[in-house]
Amino acid sequence: LGWAITGLDDAPGWLERLDADAATWFADRRTSARTTFFEAASGLTDPGTVIGFGAGAACLLVVLRRWHPLVVLVAGLAVELLGYVAIAAAVGRTRPPTALGSEITSSFPSGHVAVAIVLYGGMAVVVDLLAPRTDARWPFRALVVVVVALVSVARLYLGLHYVSDVVVGWLFGAACLAVAVVAGEAWAVAARREASRADGDGVPPQASSGTGTGTA
């Protein structure tokens, strides 16, 4: 998909025009106050923030011995990081000409947007697993929407991504989070099976010893 989108530079179409027009539109509306605000919003998913928040949450889950949520969080971040590095290196799309500053990675896809979905969405999943029957889940779900929206607009405003980069970032982040949820469920099922084997599959000792008087 990245190669197809970047290939439009040689054959301009509606998507190429949308990307270029949006980049110019955001650049024309920059002010000092807005730039400061959106730089802070983009910082919600800077590497230092993600590492600090993710590591802190992971350590807490280890202390609480909540392995299922831990698998969801760690798997999501690992898949997003490895996937993003591979895709960015393969596609190698340059940043928009209106970019404020520079970053060493590719413009495609938006890693900040993807990790916003994985990190904050993953935390919402963790809260769902820890408190499935309380209203505590809804503030975290609302937080995911707010953070993803803020980061998406911030990356466009700062000129660090095209619209197509952000949209694919949404898809990529959602896919990584889905993989993490599936991995967590698979781990939970395997853990229950292992616990069942350790308990003798729930069969009373006298029934499994062959010395009981019950019928087979």
Side-chain angles (χ1 to χ4, degrees):
L1 181 59
W3 289 328
I5 290 175
T6 55
L8 293 176
D9 293 338
D10 299 325
W14 67 269
L15 182 57
E16 189 272 341
R17 290 193 297 270
L18 171 64
D19 279 343
D21 291 347
T24 302
W25 188 89
F26 279 105
D28 289 343
R29 283 156 180 79
R30 288 174 183 159
T31 65
S32 177
R34 289 173 183 169
T35 299
T36 299
F37 174 78
F38 284 118
E39 284 177 343
S42 178
L44 293 171
T45 49
D46 279 348
T49 304
V50 173
I51 293 172
F53 191 16
C59 290
L60 178 60
L61 291 172
V62 169
V63 171
L64 297 175
R65 300 179 66 83
R66 301 306 296 262
W67 310 119
H68 183 181
L70 179 64
V71 170
V72 172
L73 186 62
V74 173
L77 291 174
V79 170
E80 192 281 333
L81 173 61
L82 296 175
Y84 170 73
V85 170
I87 295 170
V91 175
R93 189 181 199 184
T94 58
R95 301 280 174 176
T98 57
L100 290 177
S102 61
E103 296 186 2
I104 60 174
T105 53
S106 168
S107 176
F108 181 95
S110 174
H112 279 66
V113 170
V115 83
I117 294 174
V118 172
L119 178 60
Y120 295 97
M123 290 304 302
V125 172
V126 167
V127 172
D128 277 359
L129 293 172
L130 296 179
R133 294 182 178 84
T134 70
D135 292 334
R137 300 173 297 169
W138 295 103
F140 282 87
R141 293 177 179 179
L143 177 65
V144 176
V145 176
V146 172
V147 170
V148 172
L150 276 175
V151 173
S152 298
V153 176
R155 302 301 286 179
L156 292 171
Y157 175 89
L158 297 173
L160 294 170
H161 292 291
Y162 294 105
V163 170
S164 55
D165 300 330
V166 170
V167 172
V168 175
W170 294 339
L171 301 176
F172 177 54
C176 292
L177 183 58
V179 169
V181 171
V182 171
E185 290 295 331
W187 186 94
V189 170
R192 286 194 294 268
R193 288 176 178 171
E194 186 63 25
S196 178
R197 293 193 195 97
D199 292 338
D201 293 328
V203 179
Q206 64 270 24
S208 61
S209 63
T211 60
T213 57
T215 58

